[in-house]
Amino acid sequence: MALSWRGAANLAALTAAVLFAAQLGTAAPAAAAPGPPPGSIASMGDSISRGFNACGWYVDCPSRSFSTGSDPAVNSHYLRIRAVNPAINGKNYNDARSGAKVADMPGQAGTVVSQGAAYVTILIGANDACTSSEASMTSVAAFRASLDSALGTLKAGLPNAKILLVSIPDLKRLWQVGSANGSARTVWSLFGVCQSMLANPSSTSSADTARRDRVRQRVVDFNAQLASACTAYGANCKYDGGAVFGYQFALSQVSTWDYFHPNAAGQTVLASLTYAAGFGW
């Protein structure tokens, strides 16, 4: 019998957490005590958290955000928490911005602090690796510096809030599932989508293969910084253990308008996957 999306997501979360810990050469950190379900939630990040292209042509669809969305079909973190704590109703703040990079996280953190959020999800880094060229990707050191700045703002302003850091999806997986699709190749080229990874998608040359591997490695390095920064933050922070990075998403879970962003089905599985890897309310 085939696994359901939820079952597959839960299995992927567990498997990815074990593999990621093994990759780092350390045991996974002890899970933070979840405490009671939070009374408010905020999302930080980029277009994925905004639900971009999940309901319309090149527009944000925050109602379908995996984190703070209100669409029952997606069953976001917000709706899952609301089912056990109705007091959260209406206190779902989507502070992510399409196009954001990690350098924008300190500013978003300030907004979240002003809202007094009790729970914060952060998914950032795709735009730091998905750039016009490999050379323009964000450095690992700069990524960590901006991340630490944002987390410092959250810890100082919201010392009791729970923070979930979500791993960046495997961008090479996108190339793997889309490179044989003519429509995907056309859209990637026409709109300049993630050219650091997706340029020359049909090429099997050693140069293009090596480039894709280097871009993927940058995402792995970013994810390692997310894990390390979360450990340094303390018990109120939880990293998803590489669950999103390890999930083998299908092309059917990606918007056919840009063949990059999660569609409604993608947001649904992202909600299930990240919530299962989270605090367990």
Side-chain angles (χ1 to χ4, degrees):
M1 179 182 295
L3 285 174
S4 66
W5 274 349
R6 179 171 297 180
N10 290 347
L11 179 60
L14 177 61
T15 302
V18 172
L19 291 176
F20 191 82
Q23 180 182 3
L24 291 180
T26 60
S40 57
I41 177 175
S43 60
M44 292 170 52
D46 53 31
S47 51
I48 298 177
S49 293
R50 289 293 294 173
F52 186 81
N53 268 358
C55 70
W57 170 261
Y58 278 77
V59 295
D60 289 344
C61 304
S63 67
R64 290 185 172 176
S65 167
F66 77 93
S67 173
T68 53
S70 57
D71 189 327
V74 172
N75 199 15
S76 67
H77 290 222
Y78 164 65
L79 291 181
R80 292 166 192 257
I81 295 169
R82 194 178 70 175
V84 295
N85 181 20
I88 200 174
N89 189 52
K91 299 175 183 176
N92 52 326
Y93 310 111
N94 194 318
D95 299 311
R97 291 292 176 268
S98 291
K101 294 186 176 183
V102 71
D104 298 301
M105 292 306 95
Q108 289 187 19
T111 300
V112 169
V113 168
S114 72
Q115 294 161 340
Y119 173 45
V120 185
T121 68
I122 304 175
L123 172 51
I124 194 66
N127 292 327
D128 293 276
C130 269
T131 56
S132 59
S133 68
E134 181 187 355
S136 58
M137 293 189 298
T138 301
S139 71
V140 176
F143 184 90
R144 180 59 183 267
S146 292
L147 179 63
D148 281 343
S149 177
L151 291 176
T153 295
L154 292 175
K155 192 168 187 176
L158 302 170
N160 297 317
K162 295 295 192 293
I163 313 297
L164 177 66
L165 295 186
V166 179
S167 56
I168 304 159
D170 186 349
L171 300 177
K172 190 175 180 181
R173 173 68 181 174
L174 183 62
W175 170 78
Q176 289 171 335
V177 300
S179 59
N181 183 290
S183 295
R185 295 195 304 269
T186 297
V187 168
W188 291 344
S189 176
L190 184 63
F191 293 101
V193 177
C194 194
Q195 291 298 281
S196 55
M197 174 63 75
L198 301 177
N200 305 324
S202 298
S203 172
T204 58
S205 73
S206 58
D208 285 318
T209 298
R211 168 180 52 82
R212 294 180 197 117
D213 288 342
R214 289 192 299 269
V215 175
R216 185 180 190 271
Q217 185 60 49
R218 186 62 57 92
V219 173
V220 170
D221 293 342
F222 287 164
N223 282 334
Q225 293 305 313
L226 290 168
S228 175
C230 196
T231 298
Y233 190 96
N236 282 338
C237 184
K238 188 164 186 181
Y239 175 63
D240 77 353
V244 170
F245 177 80
Y247 180 70
Q248 297 294 290
F249 59 86
L251 195 63
S252 61
Q253 294 166 335
V254 176
S255 168
T256 54
W257 288 315
D258 62 9
Y259 290 93
F260 181 81
H261 290 91
N263 57 19
Q267 288 285 343
T268 299
V269 76
L270 190 57
S272 180
L273 187 68
T274 55
Y275 199 77
F279 290 95
W281 291 300

